[in-house]
Amino acid sequence: MATSMRGLTQFIADIRGARVRDLEEKRINKEMANIRKKFKGSCLDIRNLFPQLTEQIYLDGNLDGYQKKKYVAKIIFTYILGYKVDVGHMEAVNLISSPKYSEKQIGYLAVTLLMHENSDFLRLVVNSIRKDLDGNNEIDNCLALHAIANVGGSEMAEALAEDVHRLLISPTSQTFVKKKAALTLLRLYRKHPDVIPAAEWALRIVSIMDDADLGVVICVTSLVMALAQDHLDAYAVCYTKAVDRLHRLVIEHEYSATYAYYKVPSPWLQVKLLRLLQYYPPSEDPTIRSVLHQVLQTIMNNSAEPTRNVQHNNAQHAVLFEAIGLAIHLDSASPLVGTAAVLLARFISSKETNVRYLGLDTMAHLAARAESLEPIKRHQSTIILSLRDKDISVRRRALDLLYSMCDVDNSELIVGELLRYLRVADYALREEMVLKIAILTEKYASSYKWYVDTILQLISAAGDHVGDEVWYRVVQIVTNTEDLQEYAAKVVFEHLKAPSTHESLVKVGGYILGEYGHLIANEPGYSPMEQFQVLHTKSQFCIASTRSLLLSTYIKWVNVFPEIKPQLVNIFERYRHVLDAELQQRACEFYALASRPDDDELLQNVCEEMPPFPPRVSALLGRLNMKHGDTEDKRTWVHGGKEANLDRDIVKRKADGSFAAVGDGQDIMGSLAGLEISASSAEAGGAIPDPVISTKPPRLTTGPNMDRWFDKLTYTAEGVLYEDDQVQIGVKSRYQGHLGQLAVYIGNKVSAPLTSFTTRIHVSDPDALSVTFAKMPPSTIGPRTQTQQLLHIECKQMFTTPPILSVSYLAGSHQTLSIRLPIVVTKFFEHVKLGAADFFERWKLIGGPPREDQAIFSIELNSAGQLDLAKHRQVVSGHRLNLLDDIDPNPNNLVAAGVLHMSVEGKVGCLLRLEPNREAKLCRLTLRSTSETVATEVRKLVQQPLKTDS
């Protein structure tokens, strides 16, 4: 830029040559005056168009593109130096419309620097940006995308989001344009999520994860990660895509040398994919689980021994830690997690600060999920030493890990160590440490005395870092626990004897001694006068709110300690004349109460002992959650151990304000019910609830022959399921007992490959029917070729809704098909041989409704006007019912029997009678079964291909 514009080069040289700031300002003012003069040739007051603008903009029709570019470049340089610029905005808008790249580049640069997202000038450039987005020039596309991403106002996002999405999904877009379009959409979504129809675009965006260019895949994966966190169901298909890409990268080494970073295949993409998989619950598909296990095992094996190359180790460790996180998420009891625990033990003792940090953080994840904390407890001493690490971020992670790994067995040790470290801890850590110590002390209190001793030590040691929530909770528990009250009064009295006492301890002492000081008043050293002297000597250093609390303590003492009443009344008298309105009002009211006759019951009624607090959840966790900032990707776990991660739905309800009831006031542990970290913390601290994927079935594809093809395949083993101009889908099946296999043949009928090929199975009732792929589906089907997908099927219980096969692919545009698979309950029947006597005996034994289902329906005759007995026999036998000959005296009637096999519910018998009538063109179909639902479903399946409209 500087080499082609001598005026700009000279201007920059003059600025750099200025010895003092005054000379620099003088040179800039001179140049700005010249630029205004140049722009003033034809003055247009744009305030007539936009009254809200405050400055006047100048246009000069005599300036050519080069001059405009030069002057705007000088304005940009002036702005970068930090000087206010009030000219050149309209010229920048004009430069964007220039056909020359150099002028357009300066125009876009000026717009992104000089205009903020709410600037009214942006309305003038939207059409120019859209024109560049729609153009065929890739450079113009990129300049426009940069401007949208950098400015990113809501109006611009609403106007141009569709155009950016079109560039991303267009098959003609260059790879570098797709990358920029994906990142621009990500930027817009983060700033204005409501503008992006994320669910509507889901399948099309996810399909780009199969792009041949890994750079595009990395950018699109970043976009999918952001969108999937808020739209789990819509982006569920990305799970299979991520597993497939990981398998191709880690196992098959399918990547170009460009994307190998120190022999690690695209570590950035691996990390993103591994993190993306953690947003979803573990897949139940055994094929996907097997592939993931192989990928994770390979990653851990590759990282077993570090190399001397630091860059290789960094990349490998980044992938490894994310892989360990995924392994913990999938199954915390798997052998992979055992291997990971051994690796983490080595990492938390590493000399590398980053490795120690990641090791502690990942071990905290393990502690939050693991069934047993024993593998982590073996390294407890190392973790405690990490509290004194030279790096504060490592110390913070060690604190989080100790908080997560604490349980009943090691609580006293960990809390004691945290208390000792609190005295020398960084101020940035102290408030969080106080909250975590208070939570752990309360949660794992082995005795009332230990709880009170620890909390009072905490208040004494932490000083200003103790929030009100801490002493509120102490007061609540002491009030609700009668056995604790006398001991608490003694201990707090001893703490108040210290020369310097923090105000929070004075508040606790004021409340507890006011309520329960009479319980210890008869013991040596705890007389009413001594209690009064100890507490009152602290009041002069307290703020008004604390003094107000102490006045309430004194009025309670007036009621229970008449021997010190004169001293207390004297204090009320003094406080009646203070300037603070709250103190003055309390003192006047208390003075009036204290001055009433001794036999007056009003004072006794007013000063009755506080009743137990209603059960409530501790506010400590809410305070702790507020400390966490939304600074990282959302997680599927939170700090605080396994209990905090068990039931997210209950946690979410608590976050909304509905608290669980706790036990009676006599049980500290009972009062801790529901102390799991709330869902608000999950979002604030980077966690999300375990997702519940919607079971809503996809919308079925419609076609003229689809119902006929499906009905035929319910009683035949093979045939065409779907066909159009691009693909043909056929099936071939075999069944035995409650198990079956279905081969789905998908043929590409066009001369171009089908890319981003995805298949999914939707089962409405997974507890009744299991349908899984034998292997991962291919992502591409070559031109005029066929691929086969084998499905393993298991019937567990009775089901009525066939599974749905969803197929999506790119063939110029994105296509999606949703087709019912011919997997019906009759496929799991086995033949039964019965004689006439046995058949009719069982027929009568089963009886009529509700175990009988009967229907009369019209049928068609064959071309000769006779009953189509061959079709009747084909349909009944095709539904795997054994035809029993010579049982019914009418040769046109059919009698059949079968047994339904189910792995969970066992076997169910079924008997059938089909009685057609040629003259009436009607047929009566009767089913009897030991299960009424089986009889109804089998009747519907047999009737469907026989009735007239079939």
Side-chain angles (χ1 to χ4, degrees):
M1 181 173 68
T3 56
S4 61
M5 292 183 281
R6 286 181 296 174
L8 176 63
T9 305
Q10 186 60 47
F11 176 61
I12 294 174
D14 292 345
I15 295 297
R16 290 177 175 172
R19 293 190 297 261
V20 293
R21 183 173 178 82
D22 289 343
L23 294 177
E24 178 182 300
E25 291 181 357
K26 183 177 180 180
R27 178 67 180 91
I28 287 175
N29 290 335
K30 178 181 177 182
E31 191 63 42
M32 289 297 104
N34 180 56
I35 291 174
R36 288 190 183 91
K37 183 178 178 181
K38 293 292 184 182
F39 286 173
K40 205 172 184 179
S42 174
C43 176
L44 169 64
D45 192 346
I46 200 169
R47 287 176 294 184
N48 295 328
L49 300 177
F50 297 97
Q52 61 270 40
L53 295 180
T54 57
E55 70 265 23
Q56 186 169 317
I57 307 303
Y58 302 102
L59 304 176
D60 188 355
N62 299 324
L63 294 177
D64 59 20
Y66 170 79
Q67 290 174 313
K68 292 178 184 177
K69 176 182 69 172
K70 179 178 65 175
Y71 292 135
V72 171
K74 290 181 179 180
I75 291 172
I76 292 172
F77 183 74
T78 302
Y79 178 81
I80 292 173
L81 290 177
Y83 291 90
K84 184 178 179 181
V85 170
D86 59 358
V87 68
H89 296 74
M90 203 63 201
E91 295 298 324
V93 172
N94 290 338
L95 283 175
I96 289 179
S97 304
S98 172
K100 294 183 179 180
Y101 168 73
S102 60
E103 296 173 10
K104 188 184 290 289
Q105 181 196 34
I106 292 296
Y108 273 117
L109 182 60
V111 165
T112 55
L113 286 176
L114 303 181
M115 300 181 192
H116 56 81
E117 63 179 63
N118 297 320
S119 173
D120 293 292
F121 286 106
L122 289 179
R123 300 175 186 174
L124 302 177
V125 301
V126 166
N127 287 334
S128 297
I129 293 177
R130 180 180 285 114
K131 183 179 178 181
D132 286 336
L133 288 175
D134 295 341
N136 295 324
N137 188 318
E138 294 87 357
I139 303 299
D140 292 351
N141 295 159
C142 293
L143 286 174
L145 291 171
H146 285 172
I148 297 170
N150 284 320
V151 179
S154 59
E155 290 187 17
M156 182 178 284
E158 291 177 9
L160 300 174
E162 291 276 357
D163 299 274
V164 177
H165 176 250
R166 182 191 53 76
L167 265 184
L168 173 62
I169 67 175
S170 172
T172 60
S173 294
Q174 297 291 333
T175 56
F176 60 89
V177 176
K178 286 185 178 181
K179 289 190 282 189
K180 294 180 187 297
L183 296 178
T184 301
L185 272 183
L186 176 60
R187 164 77 168 166
L188 292 180
Y189 181 74
R190 285 175 173 169
K191 290 195 70 177
H192 311 287
D194 297 335
V195 174
I196 308 297
E200 180 184 334
W201 293 350
L203 291 177
R204 192 62 184 87
I205 290 176
V206 171
S207 67
I208 309 175
M209 291 177 68
D210 285 323
D211 197 277
D213 187 278
L214 285 184
V216 174
V217 177
I218 292 173
C219 296
V220 170
T221 303
S222 299
L223 175 61
V224 170
M225 286 178 68
L227 297 173
Q229 291 178 46
D230 301 320
H231 305 84
L232 286 168
D233 185 29
Y235 286 84
V237 67
C238 73
Y239 197 95
T240 306
K241 299 280 187 188
V243 174
D244 179 55
R245 179 63 72 174
L246 281 170
H247 182 262
R248 285 152 59 186
L249 281 174
V250 178
I251 306 300
E252 298 179 356
H253 303 289
E254 189 180 310
Y255 58 91
S256 63
T258 310
Y259 289 96
Y261 180 80
Y262 289 92
K263 300 181 181 180
V264 180
S266 191
W268 299 275
L269 178 57
Q270 288 192 57
V271 167
K272 290 177 185 294
L273 293 173
L274 292 166
R275 174 62 65 89
L276 177 61
L277 293 175
Q278 294 179 56
Y279 297 155
Y280 288 88
S283 173
E284 298 298 328
D285 190 321
T287 304
I288 291 180
R289 294 180 71 93
S290 174
V291 172
L292 266 181
H293 183 277
Q294 186 182 4
V295 168
L296 296 175
Q297 185 69 62
T298 303
I299 291 174
M300 290 187 188
N301 291 341
N302 292 342
S303 307
E305 293 297 332
T307 65
R308 293 183 178 181
N309 190 309
V310 177
Q311 287 82 1
H312 173 82
N313 286 340
N314 288 341
Q316 197 68 59
H317 286 154
V319 176
L320 173 64
F321 284 117
E322 210 60 62
I324 293 174
L326 177 58
I328 296 169
H329 175 71
L330 294 176
D331 183 7
S332 61
S334 69
L336 281 176
V337 176
T339 305
V342 175
L343 291 173
L344 291 175
R346 189 180 74 200
F347 291 142
I348 63 174
S349 302
S350 171
K351 295 180 180 179
E352 296 264 348
T353 302
N354 290 337
V355 174
R356 291 198 304 277
Y357 174 93
L358 291 170
L360 291 167
D361 187 57
T362 309
M363 194 171 276
H365 185 187
L366 178 59
R369 291 287 189 183
E371 295 291 338
S372 171
L373 293 173
E374 290 306 318
I376 302 175
K377 289 181 180 178
R378 296 193 193 109
H379 312 288
Q380 187 168 287
S381 58
T382 305
I383 298 167
I384 291 174
L385 284 175
S386 299
L387 282 174
R388 291 166 174 79
D389 194 277
K390 59 184 178 181
D391 190 290
I392 187 172
S393 60
V394 174
R395 297 196 291 272
R396 195 180 294 277
R397 292 287 78 82
L399 173 61
D400 289 337
L401 176 52
L402 286 171
Y403 176 69
S404 295
M405 66 182 285
C406 187
D407 62 11
V408 177
D409 297 330
N410 62 3
S411 58
E412 293 193 21
L413 175 63
I414 288 180
V415 170
E417 189 62 41
L418 291 177
L419 276 174
R420 282 191 292 275
Y421 176 63
L422 179 62
R423 303 178 188 277
V424 296
D426 306 81
Y427 284 99
L429 282 177
R430 287 193 181 185
E431 187 173 356
E432 185 176 344
M433 284 191 70
V434 166
L435 290 170
K436 289 184 174 179
I437 292 171
I439 292 169
L440 293 178
T441 304
E442 185 178 350
K443 192 172 185 179
Y444 300 111
S446 56
S447 68
Y448 300 142
K449 294 183 178 180
W450 180 76
Y451 171 76
V452 171
D453 290 342
T454 304
I455 291 295
L456 292 180
Q457 286 180 43
L458 175 65
I459 295 174
S460 299
D464 295 331
H465 301 282
V466 177
D468 288 340
E469 295 84 0
V470 176
W471 77 267
Y472 288 168
R473 191 61 172 164
V474 176
V475 164
Q476 178 190 336
I477 291 177
V478 171
T479 303
N480 288 15
T481 311
E482 187 175 348
D483 295 343
L484 185 60
Q485 293 162 0
E486 182 178 347
Y487 179 79
K490 287 183 179 181
V491 174
V492 77
F493 180 80
E494 295 299 332
H495 277 274
L496 287 173
K497 286 183 176 179
S500 60
T501 306
H502 190 265
E503 195 159 334
S504 293
L505 189 61
V506 176
K507 293 176 182 177
V508 176
Y511 182 92
I512 292 179
L513 291 177
E515 292 292 332
Y516 312 114
H518 64 279
L519 298 177
I520 61 173
N522 295 327
E523 298 186 24
Y526 301 105
S527 67
M529 181 56 71
E530 289 174 301
Q531 292 185 37
F532 168 71
Q533 289 174 346
V534 166
L535 196 57
H536 190 59
T537 54
K538 309 294 182 183
S539 64
Q540 57 184 323
F541 305 108
C542 298
I543 60 175
S545 60
T546 305
R547 294 186 185 188
S548 298
L549 187 149
L550 293 180
L551 288 180
S552 299
T553 300
Y554 297 158
I555 193 63
K556 294 226 171 193
W557 279 349
V558 168
N559 185 40
V560 295
F561 299 147
E563 60 267 37
I564 60 171
K565 180 177 179 179
Q567 292 88 335
L568 299 173
V569 171
N570 185 38
I571 291 174
F572 294 146
E573 171 64 28
R574 272 209 321 263
Y575 273 92
R576 289 170 64 192
H577 307 291
V578 297
L579 295 178
D580 187 274
E582 170 69 17
L583 280 173
Q584 188 183 83
Q585 181 176 351
R586 286 197 185 212
C588 290
E589 293 172 355
F590 293 161
Y591 181 82
L593 277 174
S595 302
R596 297 179 72 86
D598 293 339
D599 57 352
D600 193 338
E601 295 182 356
L602 178 61
L603 179 62
Q604 298 177 15
N605 294 334
V606 170
C607 298
E608 281 185 354
E609 187 174 305
M610 281 287 290
F613 288 93
R616 64 184 64 173
V617 173
S618 172
L620 297 176
L621 283 165
R623 176 70 175 176
L624 176 62
N625 300 332
M626 292 172 62
K627 297 292 294 177
H628 296 154
D630 190 9
T631 57
E632 58 185 330
D633 285 335
K634 296 179 180 178
R635 293 179 175 179
T636 57
W637 62 280
V638 291
H639 293 297
K642 185 175 177 61
E643 292 179 9
N645 291 272
L646 284 178
D647 194 340
R648 301 298 180 82
D649 291 334
I650 294 177
V651 169
K652 183 167 174 51
R653 286 196 295 271
K654 289 174 186 170
D656 294 336
S658 57
F659 299 126
V662 298
D664 61 38
Q666 305 300 318
D667 181 9
I668 288 182
M669 299 308 295
S671 71
L672 299 172
L675 278 184
E676 294 84 6
I677 289 181
S678 64
S680 60
S681 73
E683 294 185 5
I688 60 172
D690 287 340
V692 179
I693 304 303
S694 170
T695 57
K696 183 179 179 181
R699 180 178 297 179
L700 290 174
T701 303
T702 57
N705 298 314
M706 292 188 63
D707 289 339
R708 180 171 59 84
W709 287 334
F710 174 81
D711 291 339
K712 185 175 182 180
L713 285 170
T714 59
Y715 63 89
T716 57
E718 57 183 275
V720 174
L721 182 62
Y722 175 83
E723 186 171 9
D724 60 19
D725 295 336
Q726 293 178 326
V727 297
Q728 182 188 63
I729 302 176
V731 296
K732 188 174 183 179
S733 61
R734 63 178 181 179
Y735 295 86
Q736 183 174 3
H738 64 275
L739 300 175
Q741 286 185 332
L742 181 75
V744 181
Y745 298 90
I746 304 173
N748 179 6
K749 297 170 63 176
V750 297
S751 57
L754 304 180
T755 58
S756 190
F757 187 80
T758 305
T759 54
R760 287 187 295 164
I761 298 292
H762 180 275
V763 181
S764 60
D765 187 2
D767 293 333
L769 182 68
S770 170
V771 183
T772 57
F773 288 104
K775 61 179 182 178
M776 294 283 291
S779 59
T780 303
I781 301 179
R784 303 193 185 282
T785 59
Q786 186 183 73
T787 184
Q788 174 188 327
Q789 283 297 301
L790 185 64
L791 300 178
H792 292 304
I793 309 163
E794 180 184 5
C795 178
K796 303 175 183 177
Q797 302 173 12
M798 174 61 196
F799 67 96
T800 58
T801 305
I804 298 174
L805 172 68
S806 293
V807 178
S808 61
Y809 55 89
L810 285 176
S813 61
H814 190 262
Q815 306 290 335
T816 302
L817 305 172
S818 294
I819 310 161
R820 290 179 298 168
L821 287 174
I823 302 174
V824 292
V825 69
T826 54
K827 298 290 185 180
F828 303 96
F829 272 77
E830 292 289 338
H831 286 186
V832 174
K833 293 181 180 181
L834 294 174
D838 291 337
F839 177 85
F840 286 110
E841 180 185 352
R842 298 191 183 193
W843 184 267
K844 293 177 181 178
L845 186 63
I846 293 174
R851 294 183 175 182
E852 177 186 273
D853 195 285
Q854 188 178 87
I856 299 175
F857 53 91
S858 59
I859 57 173
E860 287 185 347
L861 304 180
N862 60 18
S863 57
Q866 301 296 321
L867 294 171
D868 195 348
L869 298 179
K871 180 179 180 181
H872 295 176
R873 295 182 69 88
Q874 181 189 7
V875 170
V876 174
S877 61
H879 281 290
R880 300 176 63 84
L881 290 162
N882 187 29
L883 290 170
L884 304 176
D885 297 323
D886 302 327
I887 290 183
D888 195 300
N890 187 339
N892 294 334
N893 293 351
L894 295 180
V895 176
V899 175
L900 171 62
H901 290 253
M902 297 175 286
S903 61
V904 175
E905 292 186 346
K907 298 178 181 180
V908 174
C910 187
L911 304 177
L912 173 146
R913 293 188 70 183
L914 183 71
E915 302 166 280
N917 186 313
R918 184 175 67 85
E919 288 75 15
K921 295 184 181 180
L922 295 175
C923 180
R924 181 168 65 186
L925 176 62
T926 307
L927 268 297
R928 289 188 179 183
S929 171
T930 53
S931 168
E932 56 189 84
T933 56
V934 172
T936 302
E937 182 63 18
V938 174
R939 192 268 304 163
K940 291 178 182 177
L941 292 170
V942 174
Q943 176 185 336
Q944 182 64 29
L946 292 177
K947 57 184 187 177
T948 303
D949 56 354
S950 62

